[in-house]
Amino acid sequence: MSEESKLRDLICLLAKSMFDRGLTGGSTGNISARTADGGLLVSPTGTSFGRLDPARLSRFDAQGVHVGGDKPTKEMPLHSAFYDTRSTAGAVVHLHSCHSVALSMMPDVDADSFLPPLTPYGIMKLGRVKLLPFFLPGDPAMGDAVRGLAGKRSAVMLANHGPVVAGKDIEAACNAIEELEDTARLALLTRGMSPQMLTDAQVRALVTKFDVEWDG
Ligand code: ZN
């Protein structure tokens, strides 16, 4: 089996796994990954994470020209913004995941550091997560907002909509976005209960030890 066939299968397998666990429902969510030739594979518009077809993923060449498969997601500008500003991005995932969307609606959330420092992996896998304002779905301004971060964040939260996370490869991106949703769920579960968060010194130690992008 070719490298590209394996990547196509892996994209669909990971998307189905997230769908099956309720991380994004219906035909929501979109996913993309870099191919070895510098192109992209992207989930088609209107498709469900539960039923992606490896043979019908949208295929772009290294110049960004659509060369095969179905029409891509309308949230393509969001994906392009990460690839264009982060040279390390090998994959991008976007979900409509319940707990992180709920957390984005809370009035006292910190827009510059959307997730509270509850667990080490939330920090190690995501760095600081930026909360972006609400945009109409498919609005190219979403991509502009990501470009405005100049590649300094690997994860953003679109208010009242869902998270978007870039990773070095498809597994890293999926693992990170699952960590985002889990941390948001913990934040909601412990909300109003004065949970013991990680201290500034503990966060700093994690950032240093695991070389986390934190200060951008
Ligand atoms: Zn969306």
Side-chain angles (χ1 to χ4, degrees):
M1 187 187 276
S2 74
E3 282 302 310
E4 180 164 328
S5 295
K6 283 187 205 158
L7 179 59
R8 285 173 180 268
D9 286 352
L10 186 58
I11 289 168
C12 299
L13 180 77
L14 292 171
K16 182 170 186 329
S17 167
M18 289 190 281
F19 181 87
D20 288 347
R21 288 174 292 138
L23 284 160
T24 206
S27 62
T28 66
N30 36 74
I31 187 165
S32 66
R34 277 245 179 267
T35 52
D37 64 1
L40 278 180
L41 288 166
V42 184
S43 55
T45 185
T47 48
S48 167
F49 265 30
R51 298 181 290 280
L52 287 180
D53 180 346
R56 295 182 65 173
L57 295 174
S58 309
R59 177 69 155 94
F60 289 81
D61 69 12
Q63 281 70 49
V65 178
H66 185 217
V67 291
D70 291 346
K71 193 174 164 220
T73 167
K74 65 178 174 300
E75 283 167 351
M76 194 67 202
L78 205 48
H79 291 247
S80 304
F82 274 104
Y83 291 114
D84 291 349
T85 56
R86 289 179 65 83
S87 58
T88 55
V92 175
V93 187
H94 166 54
L95 303 176
H96 293 185
S97 44
C98 180
H99 300 87
S100 44
V101 176
L103 188 63
S104 81
M105 297 165 183
M106 297 296 120
D108 55 350
V109 73
D110 178 354
D112 201 46
S113 200
F114 170 64
L115 296 176
L118 294 172
T119 68
Y121 284 88
I123 292 163
M124 289 151 58
K125 287 191 186 295
L126 295 154
R128 270 195 304 152
V129 179
K130 183 84 171 178
L131 175 65
L132 296 176
F134 175 75
F135 298 96
L136 290 177
D139 184 345
M142 274 195 278
D144 296 341
V146 171
R147 283 172 205 278
L149 301 172
K152 293 201 171 99
R153 304 294 182 96
S154 65
V156 302
M157 180 67 205
L158 303 169
N160 302 66
H161 181 169
V164 194
V165 176
K168 68 175 169 34
D169 56 35
I170 191 71
E171 291 197 88
C174 292
N175 288 343
I177 205 164
E178 291 191 21
E179 194 67 38
L180 193 159
E181 173 64 2
D182 282 346
T183 307
R185 185 151 57 112
L186 279 175
L188 290 173
L189 278 172
T190 57
R191 195 169 171 78
M193 301 165 85
S194 304
Q196 293 276 0
M197 301 210 190
L198 300 180
T199 64
D200 288 348
Q202 288 167 332
V203 171
R204 186 50 56 186
L206 282 165
V207 165
T208 304
K209 179 165 184 182
F210 296 98
D211 199 19
V212 177
E213 295 174 88
W214 193 255
D215 297 313

